[in-house]
Amino acid sequence: MDTASLCTVEKRGRVHIITLTGGGEHRLGPALLSAIRSAVAAVRATPGAGALVIAAEGKYFSNGFDQAWARTAPRHLHTSMEGAFRGLVADLLALPMPTVAAVTGHAAAAGCVLALAHDTVVMRASRGFLYMSEVDAGLKIVDFFAELIRQKVPDAVTRRDLLLRGDKMTAAEAVRRGIVDAAVDGGVDDVVTAAVQAAEALAAKGWKGEVVAEIRKSMWPALWRKVKDHGADAPARARL
Amino acid sequence: MCTLEERGRVFVLTLTGDGEHWLGHSLIGSIRSALSSVAAAGPGAALVTVAEGRFFSNGLDIGWTGGSRARLGELIQAFRPLAADLLALPMPTVAAVTGHAAAGGFLLALCHDYRLMRADRGVLYMSEIDIGLPLPPYVVAVLRAKITAAQALRDVILRGKKLRAAEAKEMGIVDVVCPSAAETAAEAIKLAELLAARKWDGSVYSSIRISLYPEACRSVGIAEESDEEKRKHFASKL
């Protein structure tokens, strides 16, 4: 599969934008995860890169893991999909620049976790939900998903509603509950513009990248511990 | 001491009689018995716990302990597996707080997923600080899991604040305020019916609840599944 076509990278000023391309569900299977991680690594290696935005085309930000792929793949490879996602979360936690998720559409399960793994989250007001679909789909929640939700979702009631009731949360509701930073009117492009503006403002602070990464990892130590061995920084022999 | 009835897909556990529903060995045992029979229900079930009279529960049976620390320790240890039963129950749980819920009674309500409470009378009250009793670690773990606003937690356990329903709702401790005991019970059953109608797989629901409250669950003695076991489950669902 041509992984280059699964996401694109563009630069606007100091902000680098990774866009998950196409009108599909952007299911996080091994191919897309690999493409995103390569794009993140490329942004990290770009001198002068000030901030990262991850966005998506179409109706979905991401609808979660690629179960269709998993159905056809040998079982021992399933862990590679989860492991690659752990690695992506680790790469975002360790990224030496501020990160902004432009939740341009529905973000479910691993897609919701991906959005919340960013420092700042802006979300389309007119359509799209945050939805931890696992309870409805009859799937259990692995430790680092739960840890991320616990860290990023401030209160017990909201966590329960998201995880135990499978609430589909609109942007306005998510802002009210303190999960998302801003609800943006308009279409996908307006959400991306708002995300880029937020990212540019953060980049303009001129923070030292390595310090951003260290402080972020120290803020979420339990989460970092659960994902770090899968990240790009992990020593090659430990990388799983 | 308590009765269990089935109304469609909702199991209603009632603490019976007009008394204070003191949580002694007898009542704890009866509740645990009822919960174990409910746990075998298939997907699409829910539990409501409700009480008759002016009290939801006034907590551990301090009267029975007669000042004996050994007896108090026994009751504290006896309540812990009841908390575990509720936190691991393979279905949604709703507490209809139809009267005062103090100390162990407050904790019993907190061990449910949702709380509805009457507005017209009754308070939620962690009385230990006023009585002069420290809180057992598992009790603190459940309080910390369910009450995440720092000032709310402080007010409840360090100041022994008595909460009416409206205030408890503002603090995120109660979900719905109802005008009377009868309406609290009725609304609790309606909520339970809505939750049961989602037809969630009980073992998945229980597993997700445990991942939501890992420290509290560990503290009451529930073992969390390994990620490997969860992956096996994921593979089996494809």
Side-chain angles (χ1 to χ4, degrees):
Chain A
M1 174 172 279
D2 174 13
T3 59
S5 64
L6 295 175
C7 67
T8 57
V9 189
E10 64 174 294
K11 190 166 102 75
R12 292 187 208 175
R14 276 169 292 200
V15 178
H16 292 248
I17 306 156
I18 296 173
T19 304
L20 313 186
T21 51
E25 294 182 17
H26 312 303
R27 288 272 179 173
L28 296 164
L32 180 55
L33 285 166
S34 176
I36 299 171
R37 293 186 74 191
S38 294
V40 169
V43 169
R44 181 172 174 163
T46 304
L52 172 74
V53 169
I54 295 188
E57 293 173 346
K59 262 181 55 174
Y60 292 88
F61 179 75
S62 167
N63 216 18
F65 278 139
D66 193 345
Q67 286 171 279
W69 170 83
R71 244 170 251 133
T72 60
R75 230 209 82 194
H76 71 273
L77 286 185
H78 295 175
T79 48
S80 75
M81 179 168 67
E82 187 201 293
F85 186 61
R86 256 186 228 259
L88 175 54
V89 172
D91 295 344
L92 288 171
L93 288 178
L95 202 66
M97 67 189 74
T99 61
V100 180
V103 183
T104 43
H106 298 295
C112 181
V113 171
L114 175 60
L116 297 184
H118 292 69
D119 303 328
T120 299
V121 183
V122 305
M123 189 170 166
R124 187 170 175 192
S126 58
R127 90 194 300 187
F129 304 117
L130 293 179
Y131 174 37
M132 289 303 285
S133 51
E134 286 86 345
V135 67
D136 289 334
L139 293 170
K140 299 179 180 182
I141 291 184
V142 288
D143 66 343
F144 77 102
F145 275 39
E147 185 61 41
L148 188 143
I149 296 289
R150 273 203 308 283
Q151 296 302 334
K152 299 282 191 150
V153 178
D155 71 286
V157 173
T158 306
R159 286 181 215 150
R160 174 206 64 198
D161 288 347
L162 260 180
L163 285 183
L164 268 185
R165 201 163 66 175
D167 273 10
K168 290 175 179 167
M169 223 165 262
T170 61
E173 185 67 11
V175 168
R176 198 179 66 78
R177 304 241 220 171
I179 310 171
V180 155
D181 296 288
V184 182
D185 292 319
V188 166
D189 291 339
D190 300 297
V191 181
V192 176
T193 301
V196 169
Q197 268 169 8
E200 185 59 56
L202 292 166
K205 299 279 197 171
W207 294 316
K208 276 182 98 165
E210 310 79 63
V211 175
V212 170
E214 287 311 306
I215 289 177
R216 192 195 289 116
K217 289 185 299 191
S218 69
M219 278 174 74
W220 322 118
L223 177 59
W224 174 244
R225 251 194 319 272
K226 290 179 199 295
V227 298
K228 67 185 174 73
D229 288 340
H230 296 258
D233 285 345
R237 56 182 163 74
R239 205 175 313 156
L240 300 159
Chain B
M1 303 211 88
C2 70
T3 59
L4 182 68
E5 51 171 318
E6 226 175 304
R7 296 195 204 181
R9 294 302 291 155
V10 174
F11 292 94
V12 181
L13 171 67
T14 307
L15 311 184
T16 51
D18 279 334
E20 291 165 72
H21 311 302
W22 292 112
L23 291 157
H25 286 299
S26 217
L27 181 56
I28 291 173
S30 303
I31 297 173
R32 293 197 68 202
S33 216
L35 291 178
S36 87
S37 72
V38 148
L47 172 81
V48 173
T49 301
V50 68
E52 294 174 345
R54 286 190 306 130
F55 289 84
F56 182 75
S57 166
N58 218 13
L60 297 184
D61 194 348
I62 301 285
W64 173 80
T65 69
S68 151
R69 287 170 91 198
R71 280 193 165 192
L72 178 61
E74 256 186 59
L75 287 185
I76 289 170
Q77 283 320 305
F79 186 86
R80 187 170 170 261
L82 169 55
D85 291 345
L86 281 167
L87 288 172
L89 205 72
M91 66 185 65
T93 57
V94 181
V97 184
T98 42
H100 294 293
F106 187 172
L107 208 77
L108 181 65
L110 275 179
C111 286
H112 290 69
D113 298 326
Y114 301 88
R115 277 154 297 286
L116 290 82
M117 186 171 173
R118 64 188 296 186
D120 57 334
R121 71 202 303 183
V123 291
L124 296 171
Y125 174 37
M126 280 315 277
S127 50
E128 283 82 347
I129 188 159
D130 288 336
I131 299 175
L133 283 173
L135 293 167
Y138 77 84
V139 170
V140 178
V142 173
L143 286 158
R144 285 176 52 132
K146 299 283 189 144
I147 305 173
T148 45
Q151 287 172 325
L153 188 64
R154 176 211 52 206
D155 287 351
V156 165
I157 64 180
L158 204 52
R159 289 191 185 173
K161 197 165 195 197
K162 291 175 180 169
L163 305 175
R164 298 284 295 269
E167 187 172 20
K169 180 168 177 182
E170 266 170 51
M171 290 162 103
I173 296 170
V174 154
D175 297 292
V176 183
V177 177
C178 299
S180 69
E183 277 158 291
T184 303
E187 288 303 310
I189 290 172
K190 270 196 216 151
L191 173 60
E193 281 165 355
L194 284 174
L195 296 167
R198 300 284 289 269
K199 291 216 173 321
W200 291 314
D201 176 313
S203 65
V204 168
Y205 189 86
S206 172
S207 168
I208 292 177
R209 190 198 284 116
I210 294 167
S211 12
L212 186 54
Y213 309 120
E215 291 96 6
C217 288
R218 223 173 291 132
S219 209
V220 298
I222 299 168
E224 188 172 1
E225 258 176 309
S226 69
D227 278 352
E228 184 48 43
E229 287 165 317
K230 290 178 184 176
R231 278 176 210 128
K232 282 203 190 114
H233 179 263
F234 174 81
S236 74
K237 296 283 302 204
L238 290 171

